Each structure stands twice: as C-alpha cells, then as structure tokens.
Amino acid sequence: MSDALRADASAAAVAAAVQSGAVSATAVLEATLKRIAALDPTINAFTAVAADRARAKAAALDASRRAGIAPGPLAGVPFGVKAMIDIAGLTTSGGSALHAGDPPAARDAVVVRRLEAAGAVCIGALNMDEFGMGGTTENARFGSTRNPHDPTRTAGGSSGGSAAAVAAGILPVTLGGDGLGSIRLPASLCGVYGLRPTRGTVSAEGLLGESGTIGTVGPLARSARDVALCLDALCGGGLAARRTVDTLDAGADGLRLARAGGYFAEGLDDDATEAVALAAAALRITACVDFPEPARARAAAMLVHTSESAVGKLEALRANLEGFDPLTRERFLAHALLPAQWYLHAQRFRRWHTAEVLRLLERVDVLLLPATPCVAPPLGSRTIRIGGRDLPTGPTLGWFAQPLAGTDCPALTVPILRPGKLPIGMQLFAAPHREDLLLRVRPRGGRRPGRPAAGPPTRASCEPSPQSPCYSVCATTAAHCNIGTVFSLPP
Amino acid sequence: MNTFDPYAYLDAAAAAVDLPVPAAYRDGVAANLARLHAMAADVIDFPLPAPADPALAGGDDPA
C-alpha cells in the first residue's frame, strides 16, 4: 500500500504523492471512505458523508493532473468540516434537529471553496454540540462523538467531530469553529493540533447563523505543517495572503517564550500539571508572566458569545422550543433574555483587555498556557473533579481557552502525548497575524513536525481498527505518525 | 447587582421580548441567568479608564 493511502498519512504526504502521480486522488478518497465505513460507527465523527460529490471532485483532479495542470498544494487531501459550514448539496444542520427540513446549501462556504481550490476534496460534515453551544459533542440528533483514544470518553467540543476524525486517522485535516475554545478544547482532549486563527483572517461567509464578534473557523490536523498548509489555503489572496508553511523550519530559536502564571497555573489536575511542566521543560521556558485579568476576560468573552449566540433564534425559541437539543434548550432561552448593558460592558472591557494583552505581547513572542485542566472525561459526565472539587464539565473544560477568546489573537493547541496515558494539549498564543510564530515552536534539537522520527516505525500497529480506533495511543506509533512529536516523552 | 433575583428578571425579560418560558425550564433558565449575572457583575464592577467604547468587531461604526 502506498504511504499516502495509510491512515497516518499527513496532508503534506498525500498532496506530494498526488502531485507526483504516485497515487491518484481517487485512490486516496476510496481509502478514506473505507476508513469512514470501518471506524465511524464507533467514533461517530460524521453527520453526513458526501461520497458522490467527493468522487466527482477527485476524478476531476486526476483528469486535470493527467492533462498537465498542477493540482495545488493540498492535492487530493480529503477533509471534512464542522456541520455549521455550508457544503453545496448537503443541508447545513448546525448539529440541530431544527434544520432537518432545510433545503441543501446552494453553494459551498468560502472556506470549503478555498481548500478545494488548493486541491483538497471535501468529504462531509462533522458532528458538534448543537449550534456550538457546548464542550462535549453530545448531541440529541446525531449522537455523541467518541474520543478515539478511549471511546467511553468525550472528544470535547464543540468541534468534537473535527478533532475525533483527525485523531482516529480518518482524515488528515478538518475544519472546526472556535468561539470560546471549540477548536482548541477538543484538539487537547483528542491529542491533535487545533488552530484558532487571528479573527477576521478566515472568511465567515457560508456559516450557519450569525458569526458574531468572537468566533472564527480554523484547521485541525496531526502536524504543524498540515495546519500551516490549511491556513495558507484558507487565507487565500489579498491582505491575508501568506506562506506560513515556508517559515516552519525557522524553529523557535530567538523567540521570546514565556509561560502564563497565576490563573493559568491553578485549577489543573495531575495530568495537566505534568503536561505543562513537560512542555515548559522541553522548550526550556523559564520566564513566567501574568496574563491580564484572566477571570474577567473569560467572563466578558462568555457574555459576548452567549448574547450573540441567541441572535436569530428568538422565533425558533417561541415556535419550536422542543426542537432544541435538551442540553442547549435552557441555555438559549437564558441567552435570549440577556440585557444589552451586560453585553455592552463586556465589549467595553474586551477592548481594554485586548490593548493590555497586546502590550504583554510586545515583550513575549509566544505564550505557553494549558489548553484544558484535565484529560477527556467520560461521556455523560456532568461534573469533573479537580483539586478535590466537583465542577461543571462544560465550563470547566473551557477554563483556560475562554480568557483568550475575546482578544482576536491566534492560539494553537499542541498535543502532548505521554505513553500509556490519555493525550492533553497546551495552548500557544501570539499577537494577531503571527500564526507563523506559533507553528515554529518546538523543542531545540527535537523532532520536527512533518518529518518521521528516526528508528524503525511500527507500521502494523499504526492502522486503526474498530477495536482500536486511534493509532496514536502508543509512543512508537505516535513518533512515526508524527502526532505529538513536539512534546512526546521517550518510551 | 447584589440583589439580583433571576426569576423576577426572567419573568420581566421574557415578557419584554414575548418569549414564553415553560414552567419545566424556569429553574434551568434562572440558573443560567444567575451564573451570567455573576460574570456581568464582575465585569461591570471593574474600573476601566474612560472613555472606552464597545469593541465591536470589524471596526467601530462612526454612525
């Protein structure tokens, strides 16, 4: 079997193989569809698979390549998108039964068009909490998405399908949406990379509902290189045109790195504490700085996001309340009743806070913070226990992602794999439009994303199965698959 | 802000926007309102240097 057809193939490897003609886009797609058939009954990452559309796209790509037309930097790379993003021919559900009877989207969202313009092949829609309101991807209409590392546990949310599909090796890259951490949080619990780009650089055209002033679309992948390839394609031309992928090999030398103390050093369980220490040691970070007013920043971001989440839902709340997911129904009712003064004060605070954060980022190039306070909790957990206290699951999982949400700055979850343990991620945070810095950070002398580690790979153990749907659970496999190689411990 | 009654607020706001809240959901909605009120109080009580207009995305509208 060609390497490009394997579950552990990176987007970069798939694209290189399709560009060279070593494999066809059609062969890559058919291998992907087989993985979906084998693994998704266990993982439940997909809400819809657009096989016919994807086959037509792949066939067109193969025909173009045979005709001598360069197929693009993401040639033949299969991808899926969070179910809030329009895919022409599919109904955009937002993870909700309320949209079950809607007509199919007439055209693709801009983000889908941009990835396909770069040669990628959209293969379907991915599960989420209803309208993105949650952190566990437990969904009454589509069922719960399961964590590939342990299917009894949550994949996180709200872009849980996007993270799980990547972690399971079903897809090399996906798109999610991040308002209060909905990319970064599931990326942490599933052990993959997840980028919340600088807000405003990725188009929001073709997304279900109001986009608000907090959220943005971003990529999830198994390597920094694949994140960079997607980001470059998503940003397209114009003001945001970039070639982030060209700067990856510059590494972190010369960057001013620091870890966040105070709020971000408290409320972690043993797994998260170990992960922070591991990452800081691997990056040789000794500086510790205070992130300004993190608790109030979290409160302000939540007030803004919750207020905006109810826009456009008043009629549905009046006419079809029982059509809402039981896990979101009372929340959207409350959000529709919030006073304007709370929202306006939160926006006012947000403006001040962003200025303070930008002042901090004049002294620090990349800030290291925890992504989640714990590893993935069991599905159905209403509380999680941290520091001897039982805390509500959803808000607590977002404890470290939400204070960053109001700033419009980019943040990247980087996976940390520890042999024999569930994965957990760290966040890297930088000034607006400096995603390149986030993607350059790796230990000095360490392995680089996109390059297989030295030593004999255990390929037989890489291929996922319904019994073992994640191939990144062992260190040797992780090293070969380039998942978590940035901070993984030696076996 | 310290005397906030989420049920009284729920009834007044629901009437203002014509959004009936069934009895089965009142406790859950009130709990959400109480949680968000605590956050709002924390934000509103924080002294900010004046003036600072709302930081609406996409730039401030001069209108």
Side-chain angles (χ1 to χ4, degrees):
Chain A
M1 180 190 290
S2 165
D3 286 355
L5 301 181
R6 301 190 64 89
D8 60 341
S10 67
V14 169
V18 171
Q19 287 161 355
S20 71
V23 296
S24 67
T26 297
V28 172
L29 174 65
E30 294 302 330
T32 303
L33 290 170
K34 283 183 182 174
R35 286 198 294 274
I36 292 173
L39 299 174
D40 207 49
T42 302
I43 301 302
N44 194 34
F46 283 81
T47 59
V49 176
D52 291 345
R53 168 204 163 105
R55 285 190 170 108
K57 169 71 177 176
L61 268 172
D62 290 334
S64 294
R65 200 199 68 79
R66 285 193 298 270
I69 300 172
L74 290 172
V77 173
F79 73 99
V81 301
K82 190 175 184 177
M84 57 183 271
I85 298 172
D86 283 350
I87 301 171
L90 295 182
T91 294
T92 309
S93 71
S96 177
L98 291 167
H99 291 285
D102 286 4
R107 62 188 307 211
D108 292 327
V110 167
V111 289
V112 173
R113 296 207 299 272
R114 287 201 167 154
L115 290 189
E116 290 207 327
V121 177
C122 181
I123 201 166
L126 299 164
N127 204 9
M128 58 187 287
D129 297 277
E130 185 181 47
F131 299 125
M133 191 53 60
T136 56
T137 313
E138 293 168 282
N139 185 297
R141 179 181 175 197
F142 294 104
S144 297
T145 294
R146 297 177 177 276
N147 193 311
H149 293 268
D150 176 353
T152 69
R153 295 175 182 269
T154 177
S158 62
S159 306
S162 303
V166 171
I170 296 174
L171 297 170
V173 293
T174 59
L175 296 183
D178 191 315
L180 294 175
S182 288
I183 289 174
R184 293 164 287 151
L185 193 161
S188 175
L189 302 188
C190 287
V192 301
Y193 287 79
L195 175 67
R196 172 191 167 91
T198 305
R199 228 190 70 80
T201 58
V202 176
S203 171
E205 184 185 326
L207 273 55
L208 183 69
E210 302 285 333
S211 59
T213 67
I214 292 274
T216 181
V217 171
L220 298 93
R222 295 190 296 266
S223 75
R225 184 169 302 276
D226 285 357
V227 170
L229 282 168
C230 283
L231 179 66
D232 291 345
L234 288 170
C235 289
L239 184 65
R242 65 181 78 196
R243 286 276 300 170
T244 309
V245 71
D246 292 339
T247 66
L248 288 175
D249 290 339
D253 284 342
L255 295 184
R256 297 167 298 172
L257 308 179
R259 61 192 287 187
Y263 175 102
F264 291 96
E266 301 163 358
L268 296 84
D269 75 357
D270 290 346
D271 287 297
T273 300
E274 181 184 49
V276 171
L278 174 60
L283 294 169
R284 301 177 193 172
I285 294 176
T286 54
C288 184
V289 299
D290 287 330
F291 187 87
E293 294 292 336
R296 285 190 176 88
R298 175 175 182 257
M302 290 191 75
L303 288 165
V304 171
H305 189 64
T306 53
S307 298
E308 293 174 345
S309 75
V311 174
K313 294 188 175 62
L314 198 54
E315 272 310 310
L317 288 167
R318 288 178 182 137
N320 193 10
L321 182 58
E322 298 303 316
F324 280 81
D325 192 309
L327 289 177
T328 71
R329 194 177 294 145
E330 292 169 347
R331 298 175 71 184
F332 280 117
L333 281 169
H335 300 170
L337 301 178
L338 298 184
Q341 282 301 311
W342 293 4
Y343 176 82
L344 293 170
H345 272 275
Q347 289 283 27
R348 183 169 176 254
F349 176 89
R350 181 183 173 193
R351 177 168 168 161
W352 170 84
H353 180 255
T354 296
E356 292 297 305
V357 168
L358 294 180
R359 264 192 281 277
L360 169 65
L361 294 174
E362 290 173 358
R363 297 186 284 118
V364 176
D365 292 317
V366 177
L367 190 60
L368 175 79
L369 318 94
T372 52
C374 57
V375 299
L379 276 165
S381 302
R382 298 277 74 89
T383 61
I384 48 180
R385 190 164 188 79
I386 294 176
R389 291 191 300 156
D390 290 322
L391 303 168
T393 300
T396 304
L397 286 175
W399 195 264
F400 300 124
Q402 290 156 354
L404 315 183
T407 64
D408 296 346
C409 295
L412 174 72
T413 288
V414 177
I416 299 176
L417 296 188
R418 302 159 300 151
K421 298 181 179 179
L422 290 166
I424 189 168
M426 296 298 304
Q427 288 185 101
L428 302 175
F429 181 73
H433 307 291
R434 296 316 308 264
E435 286 86 349
D436 60 318
L437 301 183
L438 304 180
L439 293 163
R440 281 169 50 189
V441 172
R442 62 183 68 91
R444 293 170 180 83
R447 294 187 294 269
R448 291 181 171 181
R451 296 180 182 176
T458 55
R459 295 208 156 195
S461 64
C462 279
E463 202 62 17
S465 69
Q467 292 72 38
S468 181
C470 181
Y471 60 83
S472 62
V473 292
C474 71
T476 50
T477 308
H480 170 67
C481 296
N482 198 28
I483 298 179
T485 55
V486 173
F487 299 126
S488 63
L489 285 168
Chain B
M1 297 290 281
N2 293 329
T3 58
F4 182 72
D5 178 344
Y7 289 94
Y9 178 81
L10 185 164
D11 290 333
V17 298
D18 189 21
L19 177 60
V21 177
Y25 303 132
R26 280 177 58 82
D27 288 347
V29 176
N32 274 283
L33 289 171
R35 182 174 57 88
L36 290 164
H37 167 264
M39 291 184 172
D42 206 23
V43 171
I44 291 171
D45 289 347
F46 184 70
L48 289 176
D53 295 328
L56 298 174
D60 294 336
D61 184 347

PDB file of all heavy atoms in Angstrom, chain A residues 4 9 17 39 48 55 74 92-93 126 163 185 191 194 239 293 308 371 400 408 422 436 446:
ATOM      1  N   ALA A   4       0.718   7.127   1.076  1.00  0.00           N
ATOM      2  CA  ALA A   4      -0.299   8.179   1.025  1.00  0.00           C
ATOM      3  C   ALA A   4      -1.704   7.649   1.270  1.00  0.00           C
ATOM      4  O   ALA A   4      -2.619   8.428   1.526  1.00  0.00           O
ATOM      5  CB  ALA A   4      -0.253   8.896  -0.320  1.00  0.00           C
ATOM      6  N   ALA A   9      -1.127   8.962   7.057  1.00  0.00           N
ATOM      7  CA  ALA A   9      -0.528   9.880   6.082  1.00  0.00           C
ATOM      8  C   ALA A   9      -0.885  11.319   6.408  1.00  0.00           C
ATOM      9  O   ALA A   9      -2.048  11.637   6.693  1.00  0.00           O
ATOM     10  CB  ALA A   9      -1.006   9.524   4.677  1.00  0.00           C
ATOM     11  N   ALA A  17       2.216  12.946  -2.951  1.00  0.00           N
ATOM     12  CA  ALA A  17       2.006  11.725  -3.732  1.00  0.00           C
ATOM     13  C   ALA A  17       1.052  11.969  -4.895  1.00  0.00           C
ATOM     14  O   ALA A  17       1.262  11.439  -5.996  1.00  0.00           O
ATOM     15  CB  ALA A  17       1.467  10.623  -2.815  1.00  0.00           C
ATOM     16  N   LEU A  39     -14.558   2.839  10.795  1.00  0.00           N
ATOM     17  CA  LEU A  39     -14.320   3.470  12.097  1.00  0.00           C
ATOM     18  C   LEU A  39     -15.456   4.360  12.589  1.00  0.00           C
ATOM     19  O   LEU A  39     -15.658   4.498  13.796  1.00  0.00           O
ATOM     20  CB  LEU A  39     -13.032   4.312  12.039  1.00  0.00           C
ATOM     21  CG  LEU A  39     -11.756   3.541  11.728  1.00  0.00           C
ATOM     22  CD1 LEU A  39     -10.584   4.502  11.553  1.00  0.00           C
ATOM     23  CD2 LEU A  39     -11.459   2.549  12.834  1.00  0.00           C
ATOM     24  N   ALA A  48     -22.783  13.714   8.056  1.00  0.00           N
ATOM     25  CA  ALA A  48     -23.157  13.427   6.661  1.00  0.00           C
ATOM     26  C   ALA A  48     -21.879  13.186   5.865  1.00  0.00           C
ATOM     27  O   ALA A  48     -20.872  13.872   6.066  1.00  0.00           O
ATOM     28  CB  ALA A  48     -23.931  14.591   6.050  1.00  0.00           C
ATOM     29  N   ARG A  55     -16.225  11.977  -4.943  1.00  0.00           N
ATOM     30  CA  ARG A  55     -15.714  11.169  -6.068  1.00  0.00           C
ATOM     31  C   ARG A  55     -15.612  12.021  -7.333  1.00  0.00           C
ATOM     32  O   ARG A  55     -14.645  11.900  -8.097  1.00  0.00           O
ATOM     33  CB  ARG A  55     -16.636   9.972  -6.304  1.00  0.00           C
ATOM     34  CG  ARG A  55     -16.478   8.867  -5.260  1.00  0.00           C
ATOM     35  CD  ARG A  55     -17.225   7.609  -5.660  1.00  0.00           C
ATOM     36  NE  ARG A  55     -16.866   6.497  -4.786  1.00  0.00           N
ATOM     37  CZ  ARG A  55     -17.691   5.991  -3.860  1.00  0.00           C
ATOM     38  NH1 ARG A  55     -18.907   6.481  -3.687  1.00  0.00           N
ATOM     39  NH2 ARG A  55     -17.273   4.987  -3.099  1.00  0.00           N
ATOM     40  N   LEU A  74      -2.729  21.219  -1.756  1.00  0.00           N
ATOM     41  CA  LEU A  74      -3.465  20.223  -0.969  1.00  0.00           C
ATOM     42  C   LEU A  74      -4.064  19.156  -1.895  1.00  0.00           C
ATOM     43  O   LEU A  74      -5.132  18.610  -1.630  1.00  0.00           O
ATOM     44  CB  LEU A  74      -4.568  20.898  -0.154  1.00  0.00           C
ATOM     45  CG  LEU A  74      -4.102  21.781   1.012  1.00  0.00           C
ATOM     46  CD1 LEU A  74      -5.282  22.549   1.617  1.00  0.00           C
ATOM     47  CD2 LEU A  74      -3.430  20.942   2.101  1.00  0.00           C
ATOM     48  N   THR A  92     -27.183  22.159   5.853  1.00  0.00           N
ATOM     49  CA  THR A  92     -26.298  22.606   6.935  1.00  0.00           C
ATOM     50  C   THR A  92     -27.079  22.532   8.238  1.00  0.00           C
ATOM     51  O   THR A  92     -27.996  23.313   8.471  1.00  0.00           O
ATOM     52  CB  THR A  92     -25.814  24.041   6.680  1.00  0.00           C
ATOM     53  OG1 THR A  92     -25.287  24.119   5.352  1.00  0.00           O
ATOM     54  CG2 THR A  92     -24.737  24.437   7.676  1.00  0.00           C
ATOM     55  N   SER A  93     -26.703  21.587   9.096  1.00  0.00           N
ATOM     56  CA  SER A  93     -27.547  21.296  10.257  1.00  0.00           C
ATOM     57  C   SER A  93     -27.201  22.109  11.483  1.00  0.00           C
ATOM     58  O   SER A  93     -28.049  22.315  12.355  1.00  0.00           O
ATOM     59  CB  SER A  93     -27.442  19.811  10.610  1.00  0.00           C
ATOM     60  OG  SER A  93     -26.178  19.518  11.164  1.00  0.00           O
ATOM     61  N   LEU A 126     -19.173  17.256   9.931  1.00  0.00           N
ATOM     62  CA  LEU A 126     -18.689  16.648  11.165  1.00  0.00           C
ATOM     63  C   LEU A 126     -19.486  17.118  12.375  1.00  0.00           C
ATOM     64  O   LEU A 126     -19.916  18.272  12.453  1.00  0.00           O
ATOM     65  CB  LEU A 126     -17.199  16.969  11.332  1.00  0.00           C
ATOM     66  CG  LEU A 126     -16.321  16.421  10.196  1.00  0.00           C
ATOM     67  CD1 LEU A 126     -14.954  17.086  10.185  1.00  0.00           C
ATOM     68  CD2 LEU A 126     -16.170  14.909  10.314  1.00  0.00           C
ATOM     69  N   ALA A 163     -12.158  17.077  15.592  1.00  0.00           N
ATOM     70  CA  ALA A 163     -10.966  16.591  16.296  1.00  0.00           C
ATOM     71  C   ALA A 163     -10.882  15.069  16.253  1.00  0.00           C
ATOM     72  O   ALA A 163      -9.810  14.499  16.040  1.00  0.00           O
ATOM     73  CB  ALA A 163     -10.992  17.073  17.744  1.00  0.00           C
ATOM     74  N   LEU A 185     -10.191  23.171  22.522  1.00  0.00           N
ATOM     75  CA  LEU A 185     -10.566  22.240  23.590  1.00  0.00           C
ATOM     76  C   LEU A 185     -10.626  20.790  23.081  1.00  0.00           C
ATOM     77  O   LEU A 185      -9.958  19.912  23.651  1.00  0.00           O
ATOM     78  CB  LEU A 185     -11.910  22.699  24.160  1.00  0.00           C
ATOM     79  CG  LEU A 185     -12.434  22.125  25.456  1.00  0.00           C
ATOM     80  CD1 LEU A 185     -13.506  23.046  26.021  1.00  0.00           C
ATOM     81  CD2 LEU A 185     -13.010  20.755  25.242  1.00  0.00           C
ATOM     82  N   GLY A 191      -5.782  14.943  21.321  1.00  0.00           N
ATOM     83  CA  GLY A 191      -4.361  14.821  21.027  1.00  0.00           C
ATOM     84  C   GLY A 191      -3.977  15.213  19.619  1.00  0.00           C
ATOM     85  O   GLY A 191      -3.155  14.558  18.979  1.00  0.00           O
ATOM     86  N   GLY A 194      -4.839  22.098  16.873  1.00  0.00           N
ATOM     87  CA  GLY A 194      -6.044  22.842  16.528  1.00  0.00           C
ATOM     88  C   GLY A 194      -5.754  24.327  16.602  1.00  0.00           C
ATOM     89  O   GLY A 194      -5.307  24.831  17.635  1.00  0.00           O
ATOM     90  N   LEU A 239      -5.188  40.697   1.481  1.00  0.00           N
ATOM     91  CA  LEU A 239      -4.442  41.206   2.626  1.00  0.00           C
ATOM     92  C   LEU A 239      -3.808  40.085   3.452  1.00  0.00           C
ATOM     93  O   LEU A 239      -2.714  40.221   3.974  1.00  0.00           O
ATOM     94  CB  LEU A 239      -5.392  42.031   3.507  1.00  0.00           C
ATOM     95  CG  LEU A 239      -4.780  42.726   4.698  1.00  0.00           C
ATOM     96  CD1 LEU A 239      -3.793  43.786   4.231  1.00  0.00           C
ATOM     97  CD2 LEU A 239      -5.868  43.361   5.547  1.00  0.00           C
ATOM     98  N   GLU A 293      -5.968  40.068  33.834  1.00  0.00           N
ATOM     99  CA  GLU A 293      -7.371  39.858  34.222  1.00  0.00           C
ATOM    100  C   GLU A 293      -8.011  38.633  33.547  1.00  0.00           C
ATOM    101  O   GLU A 293      -9.053  38.746  32.876  1.00  0.00           O
ATOM    102  CB  GLU A 293      -8.187  41.108  33.897  1.00  0.00           C
ATOM    103  CG  GLU A 293      -7.801  42.305  34.715  1.00  0.00           C
ATOM    104  CD  GLU A 293      -8.162  42.150  36.198  1.00  0.00           C
ATOM    105  OE1 GLU A 293      -9.074  41.360  36.500  1.00  0.00           O
ATOM    106  OE2 GLU A 293      -7.515  42.805  37.036  1.00  0.00           O
ATOM    107  N   GLU A 308     -24.565  36.888  21.727  1.00  0.00           N
ATOM    108  CA  GLU A 308     -24.611  36.792  20.258  1.00  0.00           C
ATOM    109  C   GLU A 308     -25.161  35.440  19.799  1.00  0.00           C
ATOM    110  O   GLU A 308     -25.729  35.341  18.705  1.00  0.00           O
ATOM    111  CB  GLU A 308     -23.215  37.028  19.690  1.00  0.00           C
ATOM    112  CG  GLU A 308     -22.740  38.475  19.917  1.00  0.00           C
ATOM    113  CD  GLU A 308     -21.299  38.706  19.488  1.00  0.00           C
ATOM    114  OE1 GLU A 308     -20.577  37.716  19.281  1.00  0.00           O
ATOM    115  OE2 GLU A 308     -20.912  39.886  19.384  1.00  0.00           O
ATOM    116  N   ALA A 371      -4.249  24.039  27.871  1.00  0.00           N
ATOM    117  CA  ALA A 371      -5.425  24.098  26.996  1.00  0.00           C
ATOM    118  C   ALA A 371      -6.681  23.633  27.721  1.00  0.00           C
ATOM    119  O   ALA A 371      -7.754  24.219  27.564  1.00  0.00           O
ATOM    120  CB  ALA A 371      -5.200  23.253  25.738  1.00  0.00           C
ATOM    121  N   PHE A 400      -9.370  27.462  30.492  1.00  0.00           N
ATOM    122  CA  PHE A 400      -8.139  28.100  30.008  1.00  0.00           C
ATOM    123  C   PHE A 400      -8.240  28.592  28.563  1.00  0.00           C
ATOM    124  O   PHE A 400      -7.420  29.405  28.138  1.00  0.00           O
ATOM    125  CB  PHE A 400      -6.964  27.123  30.136  1.00  0.00           C
ATOM    126  CG  PHE A 400      -6.712  26.689  31.554  1.00  0.00           C
ATOM    127  CD1 PHE A 400      -6.695  25.346  31.898  1.00  0.00           C
ATOM    128  CD2 PHE A 400      -6.515  27.625  32.556  1.00  0.00           C
ATOM    129  CE1 PHE A 400      -6.482  24.951  33.210  1.00  0.00           C
ATOM    130  CE2 PHE A 400      -6.304  27.244  33.872  1.00  0.00           C
ATOM    131  CZ  PHE A 400      -6.294  25.893  34.200  1.00  0.00           C
ATOM    132  N   ASP A 408      -9.026  38.309  19.811  1.00  0.00           N
ATOM    133  CA  ASP A 408      -8.824  38.196  18.362  1.00  0.00           C
ATOM    134  C   ASP A 408      -7.433  37.676  18.004  1.00  0.00           C
ATOM    135  O   ASP A 408      -7.068  37.611  16.827  1.00  0.00           O
ATOM    136  CB  ASP A 408      -9.061  39.528  17.631  1.00  0.00           C
ATOM    137  CG  ASP A 408     -10.501  40.005  17.753  1.00  0.00           C
ATOM    138  OD1 ASP A 408     -11.355  39.200  18.168  1.00  0.00           O
ATOM    139  OD2 ASP A 408     -10.771  41.174  17.431  1.00  0.00           O
ATOM    140  N   LEU A 422      -3.772   9.209  28.508  1.00  0.00           N
ATOM    141  CA  LEU A 422      -4.581   9.954  27.554  1.00  0.00           C
ATOM    142  C   LEU A 422      -3.869  11.242  27.156  1.00  0.00           C
ATOM    143  O   LEU A 422      -3.123  11.822  27.961  1.00  0.00           O
ATOM    144  CB  LEU A 422      -5.944  10.283  28.167  1.00  0.00           C
ATOM    145  CG  LEU A 422      -6.879   9.087  28.360  1.00  0.00           C
ATOM    146  CD1 LEU A 422      -8.031   9.443  29.275  1.00  0.00           C
ATOM    147  CD2 LEU A 422      -7.403   8.607  27.011  1.00  0.00           C
ATOM    148  N   ASP A 436       2.553  32.216  12.340  1.00  0.00           N
ATOM    149  CA  ASP A 436       3.851  31.629  11.967  1.00  0.00           C
ATOM    150  C   ASP A 436       4.700  31.352  13.200  1.00  0.00           C
ATOM    151  O   ASP A 436       5.399  30.337  13.263  1.00  0.00           O
ATOM    152  CB  ASP A 436       4.589  32.554  10.994  1.00  0.00           C
ATOM    153  CG  ASP A 436       4.873  33.928  11.593  1.00  0.00           C
ATOM    154  OD1 ASP A 436       3.977  34.482  12.264  1.00  0.00           O
ATOM    155  OD2 ASP A 436       5.991  34.443  11.401  1.00  0.00           O
ATOM    156  N   GLY A 446      14.741  18.951  18.942  1.00  0.00           N
ATOM    157  CA  GLY A 446      13.686  17.940  18.918  1.00  0.00           C
ATOM    158  C   GLY A 446      13.287  17.592  17.507  1.00  0.00           C
ATOM    159  O   GLY A 446      13.757  18.169  16.528  1.00  0.00           O
TER     160      GLY A 446
END
